Amino acid sequence: MEYIQDQLFHSGDLKYRSIKFNQLDGLIVFLESLADQQRIQKEIIQPLEEKKAGTVDELITSMGITKISDLGEVPHALVQGKCLLLFEGQVEAFIIDVTANYKRSITEPVNEGVVRGAHDGFIEHLITNLYLVRKRIENPNLVVRYYQVGKTTKTKLALLYMQDLANPDLVKEVDHRLGSIAMDTTISPGIIAELIADNPFSLFPQILFTERPDRATAHLMEGRVVILSDGDPTALILPVTFFAFYQSPDDYHSGWIVGSFIRLIRLVSFIIASLVPALYIAIIGYHPEILPSNLIYTVKSSIDRVPFPPIVEALLMQITLEVLREAVVRLPSRVGQTVSVVGGLVIGEAVVRAGLVSYPMVIVVALTAISSFVAPSSEISTATRILSFPLMILASMFGLIGIMYGLLFILIHLCKLECFGSAYFAPVMPLRIKDLKDALARFPIWSLNQRPHDPHPRKLTQEKNSRRWEHDDPGKE
């Protein structure tokens, strides 16, 4: 007991209980912050006190019981929530799993709400998250591999993939990168994603974050892999393409025409959020002849009162918007909604009346902000807003020519970017016509007979989707 106390530096939550079994004095040692004391009483103390005959491993009902003879294994077992049972005069002790489970209930993710479909989401408990996935894929081909990363924190990870679908080279590469992580602390999926990403210097996210089990399941069935982390409700999906960040489960819970229209709206919002401020600056500063004559007088009367050039207006409003957004995120929910509405109205009206910003610029920035929030993924939404800043600077320096060069650079970067050996801008580059059925738009379900090619699945062709009532009509001979 003195050795264990020294190893845990006499921590205040280290507790022990005396026990007597078969005329032997014993001790139960545990950390009260991690162990379930009711389980200790029910599964260890009561069986040993009520039944005097038999051996310890026969009487204890806990499934996780192992014998050890090395006292050096005890500190690590205790910090995992296990307890130690040892008796005077015996050279072997017992490690028993009595870990306490404190977890919140399964609720819908706040950041990924849907109109229709499942309303459950991942939580911070790894086993519960695995349950949510396995209940959707009741198939023995679903494989789970466990990892421990972080020399100090020892964060537990789970790698999920379909044995008959996932590319073996992809699984091997992910396994290698996870096994190569060497640092003291890895407490969040964001850190893991940054450590294993192909190009961490790229602005565009290369790994999809989700808290929705149905979304993770859909990607597993396409031959991708999913990484879950104990203590965090976020799942990592890889490899993914640019267009995966603009897909939502809602697309498949409505008709294909409606789903395609909504998805196209999201993709158009990417163009609006990243390009409209730069276009406004270029047109006002260099190419006013593009505007209709009636609109020129309206815009000119508004901007004549502003002492700053358009680029200063745009930067002022964009930075103010980002500060307001960050403040709303950090404030309590009840206060945050009030601040967002009042702050937006008061600041917008005040800067215009003060002559610091023109009315057209307020409209442009508001349209940009709304468009950036349309994306289902917050990572791509943030990247889009950041992308607008260099485009605005290029527009202020070179006009439309600067915007074209900026867009060309972005397009080249997207075409060169790879994610675990898959093309990031697929199926546009390289062009695959069949994969476009579920990228830019969503074709009818019965026409989607192939899995996406970008993760290189083992089985490219899936079971043919058909409207069986057309083929099995009993009235037709």
Side-chain angles (χ1 to χ4, degrees):
M1 189 60 198
E2 291 177 356
Y3 170 82
I4 296 172
Q5 288 177 336
D6 290 340
Q7 291 296 307
L8 294 177
F9 304 99
H10 296 267
S11 179
D13 59 345
L14 178 64
K15 303 296 180 181
Y16 66 93
R17 294 184 63 176
S18 301
I19 190 173
K20 199 172 187 65
F21 177 69
N22 286 345
Q23 307 302 318
L24 293 176
D25 293 325
L27 279 179
I28 301 175
V29 187
F30 59 93
L31 289 172
E32 65 175 354
S33 55
L34 295 176
D36 188 338
Q37 298 187 49
Q38 292 184 353
R39 290 185 61 188
I40 293 176
Q41 178 67 31
K42 182 179 179 180
E43 299 179 9
I44 302 175
I45 297 177
Q46 286 183 1
L48 294 181
E49 288 181 347
E50 292 175 358
K51 299 180 181 180
K52 302 300 182 180
T55 61
V56 172
D57 49 357
E58 292 176 341
L59 298 178
I60 294 179
T61 58
S62 175
M63 296 296 292
I65 178 171
T66 55
K67 284 185 178 181
I68 63 166
S69 56
D70 183 7
L71 203 56
E73 300 177 18
V74 173
H76 182 60
L78 291 178
V79 298
Q80 289 181 328
K82 300 175 182 179
C83 75
L84 172 71
L85 174 62
L86 65 165
F87 293 97
E88 187 70 38
Q90 293 191 358
V91 296
E92 287 186 335
F94 298 91
I95 293 291
I96 306 168
D97 190 357
V98 289
T99 307
N101 290 321
Y102 305 108
K103 56 181 184 290
R104 64 183 175 94
S105 59
I106 298 173
T107 57
E108 183 176 7
V110 177
N111 300 324
E112 296 180 85
V114 295
V115 178
R116 293 181 180 176
H119 292 277
D120 57 347
F122 289 131
I123 62 173
E124 290 76 11
H125 190 236
L126 180 60
I127 302 301
T128 303
N129 295 339
L130 292 175
Y131 162 80
L132 293 173
V133 176
R134 281 206 176 271
K135 285 300 292 183
R136 286 172 166 82
I137 307 178
E138 296 181 349
N139 192 305
N141 285 302
L142 178 59
V143 180
V144 177
R145 289 188 184 178
Y146 288 117
Y147 298 82
Q148 273 193 344
V149 295
K151 293 182 178 179
T152 302
T153 58
K154 297 188 182 298
T155 305
K156 191 174 183 179
L157 304 180
L159 173 65
L160 286 71
Y161 62 92
M162 297 297 293
Q163 179 67 32
D164 59 335
L165 296 179
N167 190 308
D169 294 334
L170 170 63
V171 176
K172 184 177 179 181
E173 180 64 23
V174 176
D175 175 79
H176 170 69
R177 296 191 190 186
L178 290 178
S180 300
I181 295 177
M183 60 184 304
D184 289 338
T185 305
T186 52
I187 58 175
S188 71
I191 295 176
I192 297 167
E194 188 173 343
L195 291 172
I196 66 176
D198 286 74
N199 191 348
F201 297 102
S202 175
L203 178 62
F204 293 94
Q206 299 154 59
I207 296 177
L208 180 61
F209 292 76
T210 184
E211 295 181 25
R212 297 193 60 87
D214 54 351
R215 200 174 188 187
T217 300
H219 284 281
L220 282 171
M221 296 306 297
E222 290 180 351
R224 309 181 199 276
V225 302
V226 173
I227 300 174
L228 295 172
S229 175
D230 196 15
D232 198 286
T234 305
L236 307 182
I237 300 175
L238 53 99
V240 290
T241 65
F242 170 80
F243 300 99
F245 293 93
Y246 286 93
Q247 297 175 357
S248 170
D250 269 333
D251 299 347
Y252 304 93
H253 292 296
S254 55
W256 69 273
I257 297 178
V258 176
S260 298
F261 174 75
I262 295 175
R263 187 177 295 180
L264 288 172
I265 289 293
R266 296 194 198 105
L267 292 172
V268 170
S269 72
F270 167 75
I271 300 174
I272 294 174
S274 58
L275 203 57
V276 167
L279 282 175
Y280 176 81
I281 293 171
I283 291 173
I284 296 300
Y286 290 89
H287 314 283
E289 67 277 2
I290 295 178
L291 297 174
S293 57
N294 294 334
L295 187 59
I296 287 178
Y297 295 113
T298 303
V299 174
K300 187 175 185 301
S301 63
S302 180
I303 65 176
D304 280 346
R305 299 184 300 109
V306 179
F308 306 117
I311 179 63
V312 177
E313 282 187 85
L315 290 176
L316 176 64
M317 290 300 295
Q318 288 282 56
I319 293 174
T320 303
L321 179 68
E322 290 299 319
V323 172
L324 182 62
R325 174 185 171 275
E326 189 66 17
V328 172
V329 171
R330 304 305 165 199
L331 286 172
S333 58
R334 296 180 180 178
V335 181
Q337 294 178 359
T338 305
V339 171
S340 63
V341 176
V342 176
L345 292 176
V346 172
I347 293 175
E349 184 66 21
V351 294
V352 172
R353 287 186 177 275
L356 300 177
V357 177
S358 61
Y359 278 113
M361 179 57 73
V362 173
I363 297 173
V364 167
V365 172
L367 180 61
T368 301
I370 294 172
S371 300
S372 68
F373 297 140
V374 170
S377 170
S378 61
E379 287 75 28
I380 196 67
S381 175
T382 305
T384 304
R385 293 197 303 275
I386 296 175
L387 194 64
S388 65
F389 284 93
L391 288 176
M392 287 190 296
I393 295 173
L394 288 173
S396 67
M397 296 173 63
F398 307 107
L400 291 178
I401 295 177
I403 295 177
M404 294 306 297
Y405 273 106
L407 292 177
L408 185 62
F409 176 82
I410 294 170
L411 183 61
I412 293 173
H413 175 69
L414 287 173
C415 293
K416 290 180 61 179
L417 200 58
E418 287 190 352
C419 178
F420 288 83
S422 301
Y424 185 73
F425 210 46
V428 173
M429 182 60 67
L431 181 62
R432 295 188 181 92
I433 302 297
K434 292 184 178 180
D435 287 358
L436 289 174
K437 292 180 179 181
D438 196 22
L440 300 176
R442 182 183 82 77
F443 277 43
I445 293 296
W446 43 264
S447 67
L448 304 178
N449 297 323
Q450 283 195 347
R451 294 181 175 86
H453 191 275
D454 60 275
H456 308 291
R458 284 186 171 185
K459 296 179 182 178
L460 189 61
T461 303
Q462 57 184 351
E463 184 177 350
K464 185 176 181 181
N465 301 319
S466 63
R467 298 189 292 178
R468 293 186 180 275
W469 60 268
E470 291 185 346
H471 308 288
D472 300 336
D473 190 349
K476 294 182 180 180
E477 295 291 331

